[in-house]
Amino acid sequence: MRRIRTKLRQSSFARALLWPLTSSYGRMWDLAAMGKDNARWWMAGTKSDEQFEESGRHDAQQLGRFVAQDSRVLDLGCGIGRVMLYLAPRCAELYGVDVSSRMLGRARARLRDVPNAQLSRVSGRDLRVLPDDYFDFAYSLQVLQHVEREDVMRYFAELMRVLRPGGRAYLQFLNLEVEALGSEFYEYALESELLQAARRRYFTEAEVRAYAALAGFDGTYLWTDRDWLFLLAAKPAGVPEPERAGEYA
């Protein structure tokens, strides 16, 4: 499989042929959602329905520490609602946004009996469908590694906008400083990577801190867990967001 990927990355014909599909967040994730097994793997790296559901329950339990029954919560990159199904009973309102219409269609079927869950499609560059100063908590799991760095910066700025003063964001990134991931990045970077929107990106702790600071977040806390970096950061209470954040909205 790796040889095939390498040949595709190095082939100008393959790049030209696949460009219409691979250059769009929405089209890439629509393709990933075409089969249940594909969606399950892309969303959580799981191989069975049982593993998929257990991963959703586990992540909802972890996130539940940061929400209350009256909380308004945002799932950035909700996919087919893996976590939303289990987090919704813990909060008042739960909004899920995603770039893929197909993913959202499956999420609507999955959440049809969850009255406090709402879903919207976004561009992959902003959260214009959402109001200012509205959410108490926002999270994004296994998503931002598939987003261009400029768009990650935009999302930081948009999260600053949509969170209420004192609201918190919980974000997950692939850790470049894990030896195996650094080697993986080095290998495919030298293969003339076939440009595709959902390819994996890797971050360092310093980079994540810098993004949060540029957007104006306060009280940032970072920790690592295996291949992942996690960030918990707060929007300053009663302090206007910096002008630089508005440049990305």
Side-chain angles (χ1 to χ4, degrees):
M1 181 61 73
R2 179 172 293 180
R3 288 182 179 179
I4 294 174
R5 289 200 304 267
T6 299
K7 288 182 179 180
L8 286 172
R9 290 165 180 163
Q10 294 175 339
S11 166
S12 58
F13 174 76
R15 290 197 296 271
L17 182 66
L18 295 174
W19 175 258
L21 295 176
T22 62
S23 61
S24 162
Y25 293 136
R27 288 191 293 271
M28 284 294 300
W29 290 108
D30 281 345
L31 285 172
M34 288 185 68
K36 183 177 72 172
D37 291 342
N38 280 344
R40 189 172 59 207
W41 172 254
W42 277 100
M43 289 295 297
T46 55
K47 296 181 180 180
S48 69
D49 290 339
E50 292 77 13
Q51 289 178 344
F52 182 83
E53 299 301 340
E54 178 55 33
S55 73
R57 283 190 290 267
H58 175 270
D59 286 343
Q61 183 176 9
Q62 297 298 311
L63 295 170
R65 297 174 294 167
F66 306 107
V67 304
Q69 285 297 327
D70 62 348
S71 294
R72 295 168 172 171
V73 179
L74 171 64
D75 184 328
L76 173 57
C78 64
I80 64 175
R82 177 181 68 90
V83 177
M84 289 183 69
L85 180 64
Y86 299 105
L87 189 61
R90 297 171 179 261
C91 58
E93 300 176 27
L94 181 54
Y95 286 71
V97 297
D98 202 275
V99 297
S100 168
S101 298
R102 194 182 296 272
M103 288 279 190
L104 288 170
R106 295 185 63 176
R108 289 188 179 93
R110 178 176 171 83
L111 300 169
R112 60 182 176 274
D113 297 322
V114 181
N116 64 331
Q118 300 188 45
L119 298 164
S120 296
R121 186 174 182 273
V122 293
S123 68
R125 297 174 60 84
D126 61 66
L127 300 173
R128 293 179 184 176
V129 298
L130 302 176
D132 296 355
D133 302 317
Y134 190 79
F135 295 97
D136 300 289
F137 182 68
Y139 66 92
S140 183
L141 300 179
Q142 301 188 32
V143 171
L144 296 177
Q145 74 268 23
H146 296 297
V147 178
E148 293 285 8
R149 289 174 180 272
E150 292 83 358
D151 293 331
V152 171
M153 185 70 258
R154 293 174 188 270
Y155 272 141
F156 266 93
E158 282 285 76
L159 288 172
M160 173 65 74
R161 178 182 65 80
V162 302
L163 285 168
R164 64 166 181 79
R168 292 185 290 181
Y170 180 103
L171 308 175
Q172 182 180 24
F173 304 85
L174 276 175
N175 187 356
L176 179 63
E177 295 171 296
V178 171
E179 183 177 357
L181 294 185
S183 298
E184 178 180 275
F185 169 67
Y186 178 82
E187 179 180 334
Y188 83 64
L190 296 187
E191 289 178 349
S192 300
E193 165 75 358
L194 175 64
L195 180 61
Q196 55 109 337
R199 70 188 185 279
R200 284 153 64 99
R201 281 83 166 178
Y202 307 82
F203 294 80
T204 66
E205 289 191 30
E207 288 174 315
V208 173
R209 288 187 187 277
Y211 281 45
L214 285 168
F217 280 95
D218 197 6
T220 56
Y221 177 60
L222 266 77
W223 67 98
T224 60
D225 184 2
R226 293 170 292 182
D227 293 346
W228 300 101
L229 276 172
F230 291 89
L231 170 74
L232 182 65
K235 178 174 179 175
V239 179
E241 61 185 276
E243 292 183 6
R244 71 172 71 242
E247 296 173 8
Y248 297 99

